[in-house]
Amino acid sequence: MYFSRAMDWEKIDLKHKQLLYDKLKAITVPLSEFSFANLYLFRHIHKYEVAENEGDVFVRGATYDGSTFYLPTKDIREYDRETLLEMQKDVDFFFPIPQEWSVSFDMDEAEQTNDEGDSDYIYTVEKMCTYKGRKLHKKRNLLKQFRQNYEHMAFPMVGDHVQTAKQILEDWQEGSGQAKEDTDYHACCEALKLNKELNLCGLVYYADEEPAGFVLGEELNRHTFVIHFAKGLVDFKGVYQFLFNNFAKILPERYTYLNFEQDLGKTALRMAKSSYIPDQMLKKYRLRLK
């Protein structure tokens, strides 16, 4: 394959959806980065750029710790070694590389590392529908309390309900006690505004006719749905347990798994996501050929 390092790079924009959406959708490994919406919404943080070369599409960006990488838009094993070596002259490594791909490279030909904070949390839809098992009894109790204490309703995120979700986000942000730059506020705000353009779907929830929370995500592949954003107002006890449980129940039957994305190494996120006992942690490797 011919690869030119003199390609014209552009900052990722909505116009690139046509280039990237189907290509990323064709990757069967359900990592949260293999989503145009994810790349677009976090484009400022990761400085994503896009280039096209002889029918192939390339994406490069930067990690939270400042390293540069190429993000594969197809199975990296489809590239020959010479092409990969030429590509990595401009970056520190390739990322994210799922374990299914990484095992094809032995220690003699590539250096590979992974950070726990990058791994995606995967749960079965059945687990979130039932909260079965001793370890999830607290989730069941909180779910029961929410159902008993509040009259609850859910509506698709369209029309006026989008504005309701925006107000929930504002209230959630204020309650977090953090600066907007230290949360996913800006990305979530844009996701609500552009949910149709980004092919996102979700539900807005009410408790006793008051806005209580929302869930927003998309299909990663035929069997996995990724939740990009879930915001609940904790004044309603058990709100998150209800959001996840109810959303899992209304998903089409073809979905077997829910991807709750990574925890970014943040202790609060790690504790919250771990408390639901993930069925799998999808590792993401940083790969550099020797």
Side-chain angles (χ1 to χ4, degrees), residues 19-34:
L19 275 178
L20 285 166
Y21 186 84
D22 289 337
K23 288 187 73 68
L24 294 172
K25 198 83 164 177
I27 299 176
T28 57
V29 181
L31 294 185
S32 54
E33 282 85 357
F34 296 148

Side-chain angles (χ1 to χ4, degrees), residues 15 30 32 49 97 147 167 170 172 177 242 289:
K15 67 181 181 181
S32 54
E49 295 179 304
I97 305 301
R147 287 174 170 169
Q167 186 56 55
E170 296 291 343
W172 172 87
F242 178 76
L289 294 182

